[in-house]
Amino acid sequence: MPGVLPPPGTPWKARLAHALADTTLQGAISRSTHNLAAQRDAAYAGYARGGELRDAARAAKRASVARLDELLAECTRNVEAHGGYVVRAAGPDEVARYVLDVARRRGARRVVKSKSMATEEVELNARLEAAGLHVRETDLGEYIIQLAHERPSHIIVPAAHKTRGQIREIFDREARSAAAAPPADDSTPALTAFARRQLREAFLAADIGISGGNYLVAETGTLVLITNEGNGRMSTSLPPVHIAVVGVDKVLATWEDLGLVLQQAPLSGTGQRLTTYVSLISGPRREEELDGPEEFHLILLDNARRELLGSEFEDVLTCIRCGACLNVCPVFRTIGGHAYGSIYSGPIGVVLTPLLGGIEHAPELPKSACSLCYACRDACPMTIDLPHHILSLRVMQVRRQIEPASQRFTVALWSHLWASPGGYRRTVRLARLGQRAYLRKGRLGPVPRYLPAPGLLGGWLATRDAPPVARETFHEWWGRHRGRSDGSTGRSTLAPAVPGTDPSALAQAPAGERPAAPAADGATRAPERTERNVP
Amino acid sequence: MPQTPRVQLFVTCMVDLFRPRVGIAAVRLLERRGLAVEFPMAQTCCGQFAFNAGHHKEAAAMGRQLVRAFEQATPGDAAAVADVPVIALSGSCAAMVSHELPDLLERDALDRGAARATAQRWRRRAESLARRVVELSVWLERDVARVNSNPAEGSTAPTATQPGPDTVGPVPVAWHTGCHMRRLLQVTEPPIHVLEAAGAAGHELPDADQCCGFGGTFALSEPELSAAMADTKLQALATPRADGAACLVSADLGCLLQLGGRLQRAGDTYPVLHVAELVDLADQGELTPLGIARAAEARGGEG
Ligand code: SF4
């Protein structure tokens, strides 16, 4: 059973066109991804044990995922022993229902949130607002995009697509509607000062604080939050109720594991050895304590995560959402996160979105949003095999016949023909005929409107010129110059290195006229000229 | 056994169809270096485009054909080719063969209901091809002795390592490493010795590790996105161009068709060359602006 993710909204081609037309967005995304990737490289370059510790962290995370159910049970027992409540949520509805129940019981009206992808995944804000609650995001980036009515465009830098100028405009608008003083200018200090002023009020007025969670330590039932702004600490300790929505994949067995894993997200994500704040939360305030909420609720969100256990995709559960794969991805760098139409963008989004939302959810992601450059696999601290997962998802799509029939047919026929030399030669002849209409000065250039080029050729020629299929292919050249009439594949003689001077050039041996060779698996194969693969 | 060392040429479908002169250049340069070049004519394509598009059944059919083709170079004697290098004219196709084919053929055999032993046999056959396959510039670079042509072995071509008195230094060229060459074959540097022996100096582009947007069927099904990625790469190319790079060189024709095709669409005639063409030009003492322009434009019977 797949989980439930927010729908992608507009179609892929429209999202793509939108992103490709927005040069401001492209500039902002390119700058932030380049900076983050460079910071990561610099951090590793100055960290002799970095690689070794990353490998140890990966092993710890994988071992925890392998014992997931057992660790979740242990974690639950321990959180409850501290006086916290733990609930399992299969999907978005269960999360929203539980939070609204708590809000109703407490008579709550105002909610503050620290940054959480899990709550984005279940569209919690919209659901709470629909029930009449007032929700305020308190992470600076989340605050910006909340005011702009957008979704995060990057899993760790939600407003990566915004320039300072744009942020100032958003804040100016907010200042007018809240009757507050606007930011002095578009410098970072002025912008953060404005946000801090506005958010301070929200923290003090809030009835409920909602957070995500980066890790759960099973052996003590501890929730771990890593932030750079300190808003996480405020959201979880000032309001009288703290609700954490945490994916089940976040559980680690021990503090030793946490020690290893803790540093990996900042190291690979932003090039920090550690985030500015690390909050360790073990239940509500106790008798002797001064700070902390009266109630602590832990919602463990599944949303199809546990279905990945034991599958070829199990390592996807080891993702620590560091964002490194986004920062190096050439597609992400070109179009940013929104075009993916999923809150999880970049390579991990391409994989995670269909795994959580179902293979038919945003099928364009595995199919179209990856050029298989393998940069993500090299960047991922957990060495999740993202490219091969994308390939596997494409195979699943082909099996389910999700792509248009015409495309399926083209690739299938093409492949079929090319599986035999005879079929291959046939396509060469066909291509030479077919391309005539598009030849201009010996090249294939822009396609005239009155003569649209078919399918894949049309795709290429839409944005690029191409050489035509050669008048003489290499196969043909070799046959003419080096082929042997004895039927062998032809071995060149050393003497005449210049084409046209080879005395054997006249002895043509068309490909395929060779005797059958015994196959290594025993059977005698027909000669290759048998075009048995050609329909 | 022949006296001269043998190699088999894996030209790739793209070279075969769209730029056969790359294959011809490879034959010449290998022969100049004293090698007996064989071209198993039953080869078609490694199947990567179908593989990357998720059509693994079809990719496996092509992969099996490739395995057979290179086993049969000497009719009836598969053992005879066991140690013969297979020189690939593409880093990406070499990576497909060496990194994906054994798994693919085994899995596909099982999917088709073959016995485990049969599937294993396909894996082993693919593995033996995988062991033999090597991309041209890597193969040349691996043995420095190889990077120069050997006039004693029958070539009359001058070598670029003996520059004439009017030579002013190496010709700067922009070098692009394809993603599969870089991350699957783990070749992260330009082939320095090969370029040096050719009288060239390779300059990498800024952000050299970024994809050019080719990506096989990706370029065909996502033309706008793919072109935007190409444009980023071409902006990066402006740096070595400004520094005087005479052309863009790569070991992957896919990247070159992508970048060259995008340049041409913009009316830019900046030359792009496959590394085989570059070495062949240098062998003939023609690695000059004029020689490069001619080689890049030459239609060699195409069109
Ligand atoms: S897949 Fe890897 S690189 Fe990407 S966010 Fe997850 S852990 Fe980080």
Side-chain angles (χ1 to χ4, degrees):
Chain A
M1 269 290 286
V4 179
L5 291 182
T10 50
W12 160 247
K13 288 288 176 192
R15 302 197 306 268
L16 185 62
H18 192 269
L20 290 177
D22 189 342
T23 49
T24 313
L25 171 134
Q26 284 163 27
I29 288 285
S30 171
R31 266 192 306 281
S32 46
T33 50
H34 273 90
N35 287 344
L36 291 167
Q39 286 164 20
R40 167 192 179 272
D41 291 346
Y44 267 109
Y47 197 6
R49 292 189 63 208
E52 179 194 326
L53 289 169
R54 181 189 53 209
D55 295 346
R58 177 174 57 244
K61 182 76 185 161
R62 290 206 173 179
S64 288
V65 164
R67 299 168 52 202
L68 194 73
D69 282 335
E70 181 197 327
L71 295 179
L72 287 170
E74 184 183 352
C75 183
T76 302
R77 276 196 307 277
N78 287 324
V79 171
E80 286 172 350
H82 299 142
Y85 302 93
V86 184
V87 60
R88 293 284 193 101
D93 290 344
E94 287 82 353
V95 175
R97 201 176 311 134
Y98 187 86
V99 174
L100 288 172
D101 276 351
V102 173
R104 210 164 298 128
R105 184 167 49 74
R106 298 282 313 198
R109 287 188 48 243
R110 295 181 171 274
V111 174
V112 285
K113 281 186 69 215
S114 71
K115 178 173 158 26
S116 146
M117 291 307 288
T119 60
E120 293 284 352
E121 181 180 323
V122 299
E123 296 186 287
L124 189 60
N125 291 11
R127 289 161 182 266
L128 299 185
E129 281 165 358
L133 290 169
H134 180 271
V135 182
R136 176 54 76 217
E137 293 287 351
T138 65
D139 170 87
L140 181 60
E142 292 281 346
Y143 176 57
I144 294 164
I145 60 160
Q146 187 187 27
L147 295 180
H149 306 289
E150 289 179 15
R151 283 182 185 171
S153 69
H154 186 295
I155 56 177
I156 64 162
V157 195
H161 59 296
K162 292 267 183 251
T163 61
R164 277 210 306 267
Q166 289 173 324
I167 295 168
R168 185 188 184 179
E169 279 170 34
I170 294 166
F171 283 1
D172 280 346
R173 241 191 344 262
E174 172 66 7
R176 279 194 299 279
S177 78
D185 51 50
D186 68 0
S187 67
T188 306
L191 295 174
T192 46
F194 174 81
R196 197 172 294 127
R197 261 193 327 270
Q198 298 301 107
L199 292 173
R200 188 172 300 139
E201 318 253 314
F203 282 126
L204 294 173
D207 308 306
I208 295 179
I210 296 180
S211 74
N214 296 92
Y215 317 100
L216 288 165
V217 185
E219 66 176 348
T220 53
T222 305
L223 169 72
V224 184
L225 286 180
I226 55 177
T227 75
N228 280 326
E229 296 174 14
N231 66 308
R233 184 162 296 188
M234 310 259 265
S235 307
T236 58
S237 59
L238 286 178
V241 177
H242 172 202
I243 303 175
V245 185
V246 184
V248 290
D249 48 323
K250 303 291 187 179
V251 70
L252 292 168
T254 64
W255 280 77
E256 233 170 80
D257 296 339
L258 177 69
L260 290 166
V261 176
L262 190 59
Q263 136 176 100
Q264 297 310 319
L267 200 55
S268 288
T270 50
Q272 298 167 283
R273 291 266 176 114
L274 203 54
T275 46
T276 314
Y277 297 90
V278 176
S279 306
L280 307 166
I281 298 164
S282 303
R285 176 169 64 207
R286 274 162 242 176
E287 297 261 327
E288 71 280 11
E289 289 174 341
L290 293 174
D291 297 312
E294 296 157 24
E295 289 180 22
F296 172 67
H297 303 262
L298 173 61
I299 302 179
L300 294 170
L301 174 67
D302 189 340
N303 214 14
R305 286 170 171 75
R306 288 179 52 265
E307 305 220 346
L308 305 182
L309 290 172
S311 78
E312 65 175 304
F313 300 108
E314 185 174 290
D315 63 355
V316 174
L317 295 176
T318 65
C319 170
I320 52 171
R321 309 283 190 267
C322 71
C325 56
L326 281 65
N327 298 334
V328 298
C329 173
V331 171
F332 185 89
R333 283 183 171 191
T334 306
I335 60 176
H338 289 155
Y340 288 77
S342 167
I343 52 137
Y344 297 114
S345 58
I348 184 62
V350 167
V351 172
L352 199 54
T353 304
L355 289 181
L356 296 187
I359 186 81
E360 315 223 345
H361 183 94
E364 63 271 19
L365 293 187
K367 184 179 177 306
S368 301
C370 171
S371 65
L372 285 173
C373 78
Y374 287 77
C376 52
R377 189 171 72 175
D378 281 3
C380 177
M382 298 290 119
T383 56
I384 298 171
D385 197 348
L386 297 160
H388 279 102
H389 289 331
I390 292 170
L391 280 169
S392 291
L393 289 163
R394 288 181 182 175
V395 170
M396 287 161 71
Q397 291 186 330
V398 167
R399 294 216 169 116
R400 300 243 195 139
Q401 312 203 328
I402 283 176
E403 27 166 25
S406 63
Q407 211 166 75
R408 217 161 55 228
F409 182 74
T410 310
V411 179
L413 181 67
W414 182 2
S415 316
H416 205 70
L417 287 167
W418 279 22
S420 78
Y424 183 80
R425 286 197 302 276
R426 187 176 296 189
T427 60
V428 172
R429 287 194 296 270
L430 278 174
R432 283 193 183 121
L433 281 178
Q435 73 190 7
R436 276 199 204 154
Y438 303 98
L439 267 177
R440 303 280 178 278
K441 296 189 190 140
R443 296 197 60 81
L444 301 174
V447 173
R449 233 172 246 287
Y450 57 87
L451 192 66
L456 296 173
L457 174 66
W460 182 278
L461 294 181
T463 53
R464 290 142 295 195
D465 285 6
V469 169
R471 202 173 286 154
E472 182 176 65
T473 62
F474 181 82
H475 269 89
E476 291 160 344
W477 178 84
W478 182 276
R480 203 154 61 80
H481 294 279
R482 307 295 164 95
R484 291 292 179 277
S485 51
D486 65 0
S488 82
T489 55
R491 179 181 300 167
S492 67
T493 50
L494 286 175
V498 182
T501 57
D502 185 344
S504 65
L506 294 174
Q508 296 193 22
E513 288 180 8
R514 277 176 295 287
D521 52 0
T524 302
R525 261 192 323 280
E528 285 143 334
R529 76 167 299 139
T530 311
E531 294 166 8
R532 61 189 189 287
N533 286 331
V534 180
Chain B
M1 281 295 286
Q3 292 292 313
T4 40
R6 301 161 59 189
V7 294
Q8 292 179 314
L9 194 61
F10 169 23
V11 291
T12 78
C13 59
M14 274 192 297
V15 165
D16 185 49
L17 298 175
F18 299 114
R19 196 134 152 167
R21 59 182 187 268
V22 169
I24 298 169
V27 172
R28 291 167 165 181
L29 76 89
L30 290 167
E31 287 178 347
R32 283 191 199 103
R33 283 156 182 78
L35 293 142
V37 181
E38 294 170 20
F39 176 66
M41 287 187 75
Q43 64 183 282
T44 61
C45 163
C46 64
Q48 180 170 201
F49 77 89
F51 180 79
N52 286 357
H55 292 261
H56 285 196
K57 188 160 64 77
E58 290 84 354
M62 286 184 252
R64 283 193 296 274
Q65 179 59 27
L66 195 77
V67 167
R68 284 190 206 111
F70 283 93
E71 283 172 348
Q72 289 174 3
T74 306
D77 186 7
V81 294
D83 299 317
V84 176
V86 172
I87 308 283
L89 301 187
S90 153
S92 186
C93 302
M96 171 71 196
V97 171
S98 57
H99 283 60
E100 304 291 0
L101 215 48
D103 271 351
L104 174 67
L105 295 197
E106 181 183 7
R107 244 185 301 123
D108 181 70
L110 292 174
D111 285 351
R112 287 180 302 138
R116 180 145 282 284
T118 309
Q120 288 288 327
R121 253 196 312 274
W122 273 116
R123 163 177 280 282
R124 277 198 301 276
R125 289 171 72 178
E127 279 172 351
S128 92
L129 178 59
R131 270 193 302 277
R132 294 199 286 138
V133 77
V134 54
E135 185 277 325
L136 174 70
S137 67
V138 171
W139 186 78
L140 288 172
E141 186 79 14
R142 199 180 277 166
D143 181 354
V144 178
R146 242 180 232 146
V147 303
N148 293 310
S149 69
N150 185 351
E153 290 277 356
S155 167
T156 52
T159 62
T161 41
Q162 296 140 10
D166 54 345
T167 310
V168 283
V171 177
V173 299
W175 177 269
H176 169 68
T177 303
C179 294
H180 295 168
M181 182 109 152
R182 178 181 297 278
R183 301 203 180 87
L184 297 178
L185 302 183
Q186 313 247 309
V187 180
T188 53
E189 304 276 319
I192 300 166
H193 298 106
V194 174
L195 294 174
E196 193 180 75
H203 295 269
E204 284 203 289
L205 280 52
D207 273 339
D209 65 352
Q210 284 288 292
C211 174
C212 70
F214 176 64
T217 44
F218 175 77
L220 305 172
S221 59
E222 293 301 327
E224 293 82 15
L225 177 52
S226 164
M229 289 156 70
D231 288 348
T232 306
K233 184 60 77 185
L234 292 175
Q235 272 164 30
L237 178 63
T239 308
R241 275 182 87 166
D243 292 342
C247 55
L248 173 66
V249 187
S250 174
D252 272 284
L253 186 62
C255 309
L256 291 175
L257 290 181
Q258 160 83 348
L259 296 171
R262 190 70 186 151
L263 283 169
Q264 238 147 4
R265 180 57 58 96
D268 188 334
T269 56
Y270 189 66
V272 302
L273 287 188
H274 188 276
V275 65
E277 295 173 295
L278 178 98
V279 172
D280 184 40
L281 270 185
D283 281 354
Q284 301 169 70
E286 284 180 19
L287 195 66
T288 58
L290 189 67
I292 289 170
R294 261 212 305 265
E297 268 169 37
R299 299 222 168 85
E302 295 160 42

